[in-house]
Amino acid sequence: MPKVSTRFSKGLGWLQFWSFFKDANRSIVKSTVFKVLLLFCVFLLVSDIANGFEYFGLKSYPITYKMIDSITSASSLFMMITIIFFSGELIWRDRMANIDEVIGTTPHHSLSKLMAQLLSIVWVCILIYAFFALLAIGYQFIEGFTQIEYSLYLTELLYDQLPTFIFMASLHLFIQVTVNHRYLGYFISILSLFVLDILWTILDIESRMLSLGSTPPLFYSDMNSYGPGFTGAMWFNLYWVLLGFLLLAIAGTLV
């Protein structure tokens, strides 16, 4: 038997976090469900942009912000399915393999594992967005359009997509931990996306602070960039990200 040496240095927490992240990320990427959903979403995006941008008989250039709209419309549902499914998959994977108690006996912080699972889900969503952005850029070159705003793809990710990824992943990890039942957690996660908005409508409550992940819409144009609504959207992004971290901290005490 090999000799085991214990180590409790200051860098141990980071090593554990990195190990949890790599394991969770590998689990998502190798999943058959992920591959099937990705292929289906690529098909939707390609079929959308292949039809071109024609309005009232006039063909438009494939300008960058129109390509971003196509990416968002084709991938939003896929991103949400990915977040909900793998939030449950990562929480219950060790339990279904009956190694959760073994991992629980090791000297690690439960919040570190949850943060690694959160980061792995967000990182996979970022990779998907980057892949779709490359497809869009390739289409722009094929159409002979060279005035590509590369920075706009990045700012769209940072200003609009990334805060949504962080909050939604935190929320659904929190649901899986607190419900403590895999399929019931999936059911409640799906309900949270639709039922709450219906409830607020019935109660005649109109507040973006109660509608999960809601922010003022960001509209980009060549004339005035993101416009006057940008500041409000950033404050709401900060609000939802901080709420997501709070939910994750609560979940860390319940694991």
Side-chain angles (χ1 to χ4, degrees), residues 80 83 160-170 213 215 237 241:
M80 196 54 59
I83 291 172
D160 192 24
Q161 302 292 326
L162 184 59
T164 302
F165 297 157
I166 294 174
F167 170 70
M168 286 299 174
S170 301
T215 63
N237 282 337
V241 168

Side-chain angles (χ1 to χ4, degrees), residues 121-235:
I121 295 173
V122 173
W123 176 244
V124 167
C125 290
I126 291 174
L127 291 179
I128 294 169
Y129 176 86
F131 176 66
F132 290 157
L134 290 176
L135 288 179
I137 292 172
Y139 174 78
Q140 288 175 301
F141 277 120
I142 292 173
E143 290 293 308
F145 184 79
T146 58
Q147 297 180 1
I148 303 172
E149 299 173 87
Y150 298 101
S151 61
L152 187 55
Y153 287 105
L154 179 60
T155 55
E156 175 67 18
L157 172 64
L158 296 177
Y159 295 157
D160 192 24
Q161 302 292 326
L162 184 59
T164 302
F165 297 157
I166 294 174
F167 170 70
M168 286 299 174
S170 301
L171 172 65
H172 297 300
L173 285 171
F174 169 78
I175 291 175
Q176 286 289 343
V177 171
T178 53
V179 172
N180 202 27
H181 189 285
R182 183 181 183 183
Y183 298 105
L184 182 59
Y186 284 145
F187 180 71
I188 294 177
S189 292
I190 295 172
L191 284 183
S192 68
L193 300 177
F194 305 103
V195 174
L196 281 179
D197 286 338
I198 296 174
L199 178 62
W200 303 143
T201 302
I202 294 174
L203 297 177
D204 197 23
I205 297 176
E206 297 181 3
S207 174
R208 295 190 183 277
M209 298 183 70
L210 297 177
S211 181
L212 296 177
S214 177
T215 63
L218 281 175
F219 296 107
Y220 182 88
S221 69
D222 294 328
M223 181 178 295
N224 60 353
S225 184
Y226 284 104
F230 176 78
T231 302
M234 293 304 101
W235 278 111

Side-chain angles (χ1 to χ4, degrees), residues 17-28:
F17 173 83
W18 182 243
S19 177
F20 285 136
F21 169 74
K22 290 191 296 184
D23 181 58
N25 192 63
R26 190 183 307 113
S27 174
I28 295 175

